[in-house]
Amino acid sequence: MKRTWKVAAAVVLIGGGVWAGSLANLKAEGAGVTNQPGTADDPVVTKSYVDQQIQQAIKGGGGSTTTPTAPTAPTTPSTGGNSDSSAATEMKIVEVKPGKILVASAGTEFIVRSGKAVVYSEDKNGVADLTDGKDIIGGDAVTNNHLLLFPKEGRGIQVKEGNTYNLIVIVRGGYQIK
């Protein structure tokens, strides 16, 4: 008798779980959830939808197509000021010879790729090393491949005294070589 009660209880529990799950599913469907893939409410994009959008774009029927723009011509680094608005987003490779100073405009970013560099500053303040999360004061060494941010003009980097190798620096923003 005990075995039949156990089997009966198991059947009732499993049946009740299936019934409760189906009720929860019906309530979820009523809340706006659809089971139809490829609709606007479905966050998953299907291959047929992508194929349809490509065909519309090829035929010119795409509602949000953009026209391609011509690429801009590459520019060479200048030794003068560089402060046009496109210079703020454009990265340039700059070579700094020993005895020269690469001075940044406010908000410029540098990454020293090769060479031994030190921070140059006209005052006691330095620059932010965003990679390490610390300030580097004037005269301190710069670690290669670290992102430096120059908050004010008049600060920059130069070749460490005694070195004869050039610095190779990636620059985003305005700069001057003095």
Side-chain angles (χ1 to χ4, degrees), residues 63-89:
S64 64
T65 58
T66 59
T67 57
T69 58
T72 59
T75 58
T76 57
S78 64
T79 56
N82 186 7
S83 60
D84 63 2
S85 61
S86 67
T89 59

Side-chain angles (χ1 to χ4, degrees), residues 41-53:
D41 295 332
D42 184 25
V44 177
V45 178
T46 61
K47 183 183 180 306
S48 61
Y49 174 78
V50 172
D51 291 341
Q52 178 186 19
Q53 294 301 316

Side-chain angles (χ1 to χ4, degrees), residues 5 24 31 40 44 48 50 56 76-77 103 119 121 126 136 154 171:
W5 279 104
V44 177
S48 61
V50 172
Q56 284 181 357
T76 57
V103 180
V119 170
S121 181
I136 304 173
V171 178

